[in-house]
Amino acid sequence: MVEIKPHAAHWGYFDAVVEDGRVVGTRPFARDPFPGSLTQGVPDLVHAPCRIDRPYVRQGWLQGRRMGAARGQDRFVPVSWDRATRLVAEELARVRAEHGDASILGGSYGWSSAGRFHHARSQLQRFLALGGGFTAQATNYSYGAGMTLMPHVLGTNDPVTGPATHWRSIVKHARLMLCFGGLPLKNGLVTAGGGGAHEYVPMMKAAVEAGLRFVNIGPDRGAAADFLGAQWVPIRPGGDAAMILAMIQAIVAAGLEDRDFLARCTVGWERLRAYVMGEAEDGVAKTPEWAAPLCDVPADTIRALALEAAAMPTMLTATWSVQRAEHGEQPWWALVGLASALGGIGKPGLGVAFGYGSINGMGTSRRELPSVNLPATRNPVRTAIPVARVTELLERPGEVMRYNGRDIPLPDTRMVFWTGGNPFHHHQDLNRLARAFSRMETIVVSEPWWTAVARQADIVLPATTTLERNDIASSSRDRFVRAMHQAVPPQGQARNDHDIFADMADALGYRERFTEQRDEGAWLRHLYDRFRRACASLGEDVPDFDRFWAEGHIEFAPPESDFVSFQDFARDPAAAPLATPSGKVELYSETIAGFGDEGVPGHAVWKTPREWLGGDLSRHPLHLLSDQPATRLHGQLDPARVAKASKIQGREPIRMNPADAAARGLRDGQVVRVFNDRGACLGGLVVTEALRPGVVAMSTGAWWDPQETEAGPLCVHGNPNVLTQDVGTSPLGQGCAAQSCLVQVEAWTGPLPDVRVHQPPEIVEVV
Ligand SMILES: Nc1nc2c(c(=O)[nH]1)N[C@H]1C(S)=C(S)[C@@H](COP(=O)(O)OP(=O)(O)OC[C@H]3O[C@@H](n4cnc5c(=O)[nH]c(N)nc54)[C@H](O)[C@@H]3O)O[C@H]1N2
Ligand SMILES: Nc1nc2c(c(=O)[nH]1)N[C@H]1C(S)=C(S)[C@@H](COP(=O)(O)OP(=O)(O)OC[C@H]3O[C@@H](n4cnc5c(=O)[nH]c(N)nc54)[C@H](O)[C@@H]3O)O[C@H]1N2
Ligand SMILES: [Mo]
């Protein structure tokens, strides 16, 4: 019998086609104008050979090899759920008693899955918070530096997270859109929380029809769809702040800055102006001629773009990746400076926002609605480490970390609990992270699949996939809410994270506080009813739960009017001030200057990165970009058909300019070794003119598969995070700086090792 079940994933809503208890296919959501192909991989995932079939414990951990043990090499011993639950509960109680609640790292960063009730990280944090607390993680990998900076500059993160000026408004009012990092189509495949409508492509097409001119300022020509007809400015990675500051200089030199806006709506313009005009301490004018050798864009191009932007209605945007680099705060702050000099902030369709090219739903026309999320539980431990500094947390117990003007004491971490995230996907310098993990006594992971983080764990708990449970999907960037119907029974002995934690809470004496005496069905009704009441208070009439569940989704009509960021503020800054100390755009921030941190003065500046093409290239002469994958979501979907089909001899593709390939005698389709002093991996070479010379690009997400070879330790599959550097963007933002990375590439001449990571690890029946 064939059944059709409404469902959702971060990569789109779909209907699951179920036959004889198996998911056999998917159909795109009928209301989606551009569904993409990633949902096709869902059946592969649910029934994948690398599902974790039952709970396991690392053999060495059972034998007492804990702190100091190199994880990832041991075999795993199957245990009953009862035993696994007891082991975790006892270990939590012991670690809390001996080392305190802060010695448990429960930050558990990661995207988990769509579905707001069974959101793995939220469930874990509720469980740990009610049990005494845990060390948390603050900010994110996506825009950690930018989200720390923007509240100082604009008083909000809305231009990063949304709501941001609607595309519809851009289409109507802008004539030029300068896109630092481009507007890569692949990023629009994904909406955090699940997306009913991929509206990104139709909106960009409408912009082209309206005559908007696009400029893709970035190392990758492919980051702008062909239909945009974009001008390509192949900037050197990491050079954006120099180019943007020089554009400001060119505008001031031509007397074209919007003096009225700058005087009414900003503070600190005089400081930034003096800096770009060469009237500050360093005495260097930041002219296009000054910037050209830094960003490798001809001075004439920089000046022409600046003057064109000053002459016509212009929207500015930068991708999130631009700040995922050394000194990543600076290009974004400089871009706010440029938008201020152009005077577009608060005007329909103009100004600046970050991430139109980074995720689906940025600038989509929707009303701001209440969420269906599981409410957060208060964590009695107040310590939160910036996410991307996780290795340092483990390496430097008892020391302090500088972040956003504060000194954060680093707790003595003994136990790590991860659900719904994969640090061995997302973190930089994985070999260093593995060494830091070896300092831990116990690592617990719940995962549906044998991903790299599950393989690094001591206690491995098999979690259900979304298809094995009922849930509700909703996203702050989408107009739809979706009923996610359970399609198949739990596979193997997999259990819902909520039930796993309920039993652990039981063993620790707080089941009732954790469950509030609700089961899945009661929770879904409870969360939905809260959402429905909150909608009603905004005048939105939403059907009752039973009707919603039967119909499968709710659609909210797009609002009639277009949202424009900072419109009230720009009209009357005194009446509608920003939430900054001055109430205005802070082009100079006394607060940031007052932090006194090295390399982070009170206004946007050019800081030369350590690792980039402008530096020492004697050993590692290529700049590696590790961008988001077109074929999956991070590490998720890596074993599914779309990602599989993209691999070259089973390796992750690495793209390279023909000139760089020729200089190394490399050809398209061959396996190469990519390396620097931090690590090495294999990749499958794609030779393409779309990437500027000197730059190679390898998307994140191939599951880490470290193996010992004759050429030393190697990720044989192609995870670029064995190469990336693990440093903070700066003491201000402490964000991920993965994009600042130099490597060398050579032919791989040895025998080709098998990729083993999509198969379960070695299991041993007895200890
Ligand atoms: N080099 C480099 N590194 C990067 C980036 C980069 O640009 N370059 N980008 C960074 C960014 S922006 C991000 S957001 C991160 C993403 O990093 P992550 O969010 O950690 O990556 P995911 O692969 O999405 O991890 C989610 C994990 O949750 C598991 N999971 C899914 N559903 C469930 C469930 O119901 N229960 C449980 N227990 N587990 C579940 C999945 O199997 C998966 O392993 O990567 C970062 N890393
Ligand atoms: N298909 C798919 N979509 C996704 C995701 C996914 O895993 N898969 N992940 C989602 C997540 S979690 C996030 S945070 C967003 C991330 O969104 P982004 O951070 O915007 O994505 P990236 O692909 O890393 O980078 C976008 C572009 O920036 C360019 N770029 C890199 N460095 C520089 C630089 O120094 N200067 C300039 N000018 N350009 C540069 C790259 O060439 C790339 O084309 O994507 C989201 N969308
Ligand atoms: Mo992200």
Side-chain angles (χ1 to χ4, degrees):
M1 194 182 82
V2 174
E3 288 175 288
I4 304 296
K5 300 284 187 178
H7 216 75
H10 295 305
W11 46 90
Y13 288 6
F14 60 94
D15 286 330
V17 183
V18 182
E19 227 177 294
D20 302 328
R22 286 178 76 84
V23 182
V24 295
T26 60
R27 293 178 189 159
F29 180 51
R31 304 283 295 110
D32 193 338
F34 190 75
S37 61
L38 294 184
T39 56
Q40 290 169 12
V42 168
D44 309 342
L45 281 185
V46 176
H47 306 290
C50 55
R51 281 297 297 269
I52 305 172
D53 60 340
R54 51 188 297 185
Y56 288 95
V57 181
R58 182 171 67 82
Q59 190 180 31
W61 190 87
L62 285 171
Q63 293 167 340
R65 288 197 304 277
R66 299 190 180 183
M67 228 172 182
R71 293 176 168 85
Q73 287 148 30
D74 264 348
R75 295 181 289 184
F76 286 94
V77 181
V79 295
S80 67
W81 263 115
D82 206 37
R83 180 147 182 236
T85 306
R86 221 169 352 99
L87 285 175
V88 177
E90 283 168 9
E91 189 60 2
L92 276 168
R94 180 190 71 82
V95 173
R96 284 190 196 282
E98 287 178 15
H99 305 287
D101 299 312
S103 66
I104 297 165
L105 173 61
S108 195
Y109 180 81
W111 267 52
S112 305
S113 45
R116 299 296 85 186
F117 171 62
H118 288 294
H119 187 252
R121 184 192 201 196
S122 306
Q123 289 288 346
L124 170 68
Q125 296 193 338
R126 177 178 170 78
F127 163 70
L128 290 177
L130 292 172
F134 60 95
T135 291
Q137 288 172 296
T139 76
N140 61 31
Y141 280 81
S142 315
Y143 41 71
M147 74 185 279
T148 306
L149 172 74
M150 284 305 153
H152 295 297
V153 175
L154 292 170
T156 172
N157 268 313
D158 286 355
V160 183
T161 56
T165 296
H166 285 170
W167 265 106
R168 266 189 345 205
S169 179
I170 301 174
V171 171
K172 283 180 209 153
H173 300 282
R175 283 295 147 265
L176 174 67
M177 188 157 174
L178 301 182
C179 309
F180 290 84
L183 293 168
L185 282 192
K186 63 174 178 69
N187 287 351
L189 295 172
V190 164
T191 323
H198 293 87
E199 291 178 338
Y200 180 83
V201 170
M203 288 186 296
M204 288 201 288
K205 288 196 166 154
V208 173
E209 244 160 64
L212 193 65
R213 184 170 109 73
F214 288 92
V215 184
N216 166 18
I217 303 159
D220 185 353
R221 192 180 63 208
D226 287 344
F227 68 75
L228 291 178
Q231 175 188 351
W232 184 29
V233 178
I235 193 171
R236 171 185 291 166
D240 301 79
M243 173 160 171
I244 297 164
L245 291 165
M247 290 176 73
I248 301 174
Q249 195 279 342
I251 287 167
V252 177
L256 294 174
E257 74 275 25
D258 186 334
R259 291 188 192 146
D260 171 61
F261 179 85
L262 290 164
R264 280 191 315 114
C265 297
T266 71
V267 293
W269 166 247
E270 279 313 312
R271 305 287 287 264
L272 182 61
R273 199 198 73 89
Y275 175 73
V276 299
M277 298 314 286
E279 294 158 15
E281 263 169 41
D282 67 357
V284 178
K286 311 300 179 298
T287 59
E289 287 71 19
W290 163 84
L294 297 172
C295 62
D296 203 18
V297 176
D300 290 348
T301 307
I302 301 174
R303 188 170 282 110
L305 285 173
L307 300 184
E308 188 184 351
M312 67 171 79
T314 299
M315 185 71 192
L316 302 175
T317 191
T319 49
W320 297 341
S321 54
V322 170
Q323 56 81 68
R324 226 179 290 118
E326 290 177 32
H327 310 294
E329 296 84 357
Q330 300 306 331
W332 277 28
W333 201 353
L335 203 60
V336 174
L338 178 59
S340 300
L342 294 172
I345 295 176
K347 296 202 177 110
L350 315 184
V352 61
F354 301 89
Y356 285 114
S358 299
I359 203 153
N360 180 53
M362 265 309 269
T364 206
S365 292
R366 74 183 281 279
R367 257 191 93 179
E368 290 313 299
L369 295 165
S371 88
V372 193
N373 291 0
L374 190 67
T377 309
R378 190 182 162 274
N379 179 6
V381 174
R382 305 312 293 164
T383 309
I385 308 300
V387 266
R389 308 278 27 91
V390 59
T391 296
E392 270 191 68
L393 162 69
L394 306 184
E395 282 175 346
R396 303 201 283 121
E399 297 182 28
V400 293
M401 178 181 295
R402 196 73 188 142
Y403 168 66
N404 199 16
R406 285 180 291 132
D407 288 324
I408 302 176
L410 299 178
D412 183 4
T413 312
R414 300 294 173 123
M415 184 169 178
V416 176
F417 212 136
W418 226 292
T419 67
N422 181 354
F424 287 90
H425 158 76
H426 64 235
H427 199 54
Q428 287 55 67
D429 200 347
L430 292 183
N431 295 311
R432 179 175 162 201
L433 178 66
R435 288 192 294 276
F437 259 52
S438 78
R439 303 169 63 110
M440 299 299 106
E441 295 178 15
T442 301
I443 294 164
V444 186
V445 167
S446 90
E447 256 285 349
W449 297 278
W450 281 111
T451 59
V453 68
R455 287 161 197 269
Q456 294 294 316
D458 300 314
I459 303 177
V460 184
L461 308 170
T464 51
T465 68
T466 62
L467 280 297
E468 293 146 59
R469 58 202 191 208
N470 294 298
D471 214 335
I472 301 170
S474 84
S475 164
S476 61
R477 297 196 186 90
D478 194 75
R479 298 192 286 116
F480 294 84
V481 176
R482 179 71 156 168
M484 296 168 70
H485 289 202
Q486 181 176 349
V488 293
Q491 302 294 294
Q493 295 182 21
R495 301 184 67 209
N496 298 338
D497 291 292
H498 177 76
D499 301 324
I500 298 174
F501 298 134
D503 280 1
M504 283 176 195
D506 193 64
L508 292 162
Y510 61 97
R511 176 190 282 274
E512 306 276 283
R513 279 196 297 138
F514 178 73
T515 62
E516 297 182 11
Q517 292 181 303
R518 289 187 196 100
D519 61 6
E520 178 190 77
W523 270 109
L524 293 183
R525 275 173 198 275
H526 170 70
L527 294 176
Y528 185 85
D529 288 344
R530 271 175 82 240
F531 159 77
R532 187 167 177 237
R533 280 195 304 276
C535 285
S537 72
L538 296 175
E540 284 282 356
D541 202 14
V542 168
D544 68 18
F545 180 82
D546 291 319
R547 216 177 101 205
F548 158 67
W549 195 254
E551 285 177 2
H553 73 270
I554 310 169
E555 175 174 4
F556 293 94
E560 308 245 303
S561 59
D562 299 330
F563 175 76
V564 176
S565 300
F566 305 118
Q567 196 162 28
D568 294 343
F569 160 73
R571 278 190 193 129
D572 188 348
L578 301 183
T580 54
S582 62
K584 297 187 177 183
V585 178
E586 302 223 338
L587 300 179
Y588 185 90
S589 163
E590 295 285 354
T591 310
I592 292 176
F595 294 161
D597 285 316
E598 170 81 36
V600 196
H603 59 77
V605 288
W606 168 251
K607 287 277 159 199
T608 309
R610 282 179 310 272
E611 256 192 72
W612 78 314
L613 291 173
D616 174 14
L617 301 182
S618 53
R619 297 180 55 234
H620 305 120
L622 296 168
H623 191 115
L624 174 75
L625 296 176
S626 44
D627 59 349
Q628 308 286 332
T631 57
R632 59 189 167 240
L633 171 70
H634 317 135
Q636 302 191 49
L637 294 163
D638 187 48
R641 62 193 76 174
V642 178
K644 256 199 168 134
S646 74
K647 306 223 173 172
I648 294 170
Q649 298 186 50
R651 320 295 137 164
E652 186 62 21
I654 176 167
R655 295 183 297 141
M656 179 185 267
N657 185 276
D660 295 316
R664 289 166 179 74
L666 300 174
R667 44 171 218 288
D668 193 78
Q670 107 183 70
V671 173
V672 292
R673 177 171 169 267
V674 192
F675 63 96
N676 59 22
D677 289 336
R678 292 178 287 266
C681 68
L682 298 183
L685 194 68
V686 176
V687 178
T688 169
E689 297 271 0
L691 220 54
R692 60 161 275 154
V695 173
V696 289
M698 188 175 209
S699 296
T700 60
W703 289 7
W704 186 44
D705 195 344
Q707 293 181 22
E708 279 303 323
T709 67
E710 279 171 24
L714 183 71
C715 170
V716 303
H717 191 192
N719 185 322
N721 274 329
V722 298
L723 302 159
T724 51
Q725 62 169 334
D726 179 13
V727 293
T729 51
S730 83
L732 178 68
Q734 293 287 17
C736 162
Q739 301 308 335
S740 300
C741 178
L742 293 177
V743 298
Q744 178 58 295
V745 177
E746 63 182 17
W748 173 258
T749 49
L752 204 51
D754 287 338
V755 173
R756 298 190 205 131
V757 70
H758 289 159
Q759 298 300 323
E762 209 181 325
I763 310 290
V764 54
E765 283 300 329
V766 283
V767 182

